Amino acid sequence: MGAGIAAALALSLVLSLVIGLFSLRVKAIFYAMITLAVASAFQTFASQLSEITAARTGSISRFPRC
């Protein structure tokens, strides 16, 4: 479980740096447009992976069976 958390942290760090550096290059209303586009893309991505994220069931989290 510790390796999964570390991998998730590393992936989120890399993604946030890429998105942050890209969106800081734009100004004014375009910053808001990019922020909304990225949020919409991640929402769509999460709903496409419903077997992993449980997006359509409304579940908050899934715990592995031991």
Side-chain angles (χ1 to χ4, degrees):
M1 184 158 154
I5 292 174
L9 284 172
L11 180 63
S12 65
L13 176 70
V14 169
L15 283 174
S16 65
L17 283 174
V18 169
I19 293 168
L21 290 175
F22 178 70
S23 61
L24 285 177
R25 295 183 54 98
V26 296
K27 297 187 190 300
I29 192 69
F30 300 110
Y31 179 76
M33 290 170 53
I34 286 178
T35 303
L36 289 172
V38 169
S40 178
F42 277 114
Q43 180 183 13
T44 303
F45 183 67
S47 69
Q48 294 293 323
L49 295 174
S50 61
E51 64 274 355
I52 297 172
T53 62
R56 302 216 185 260
T57 62
S59 298
I60 295 174
S61 62
R62 287 187 179 177
F63 297 104
R65 295 182 184 176
C66 297

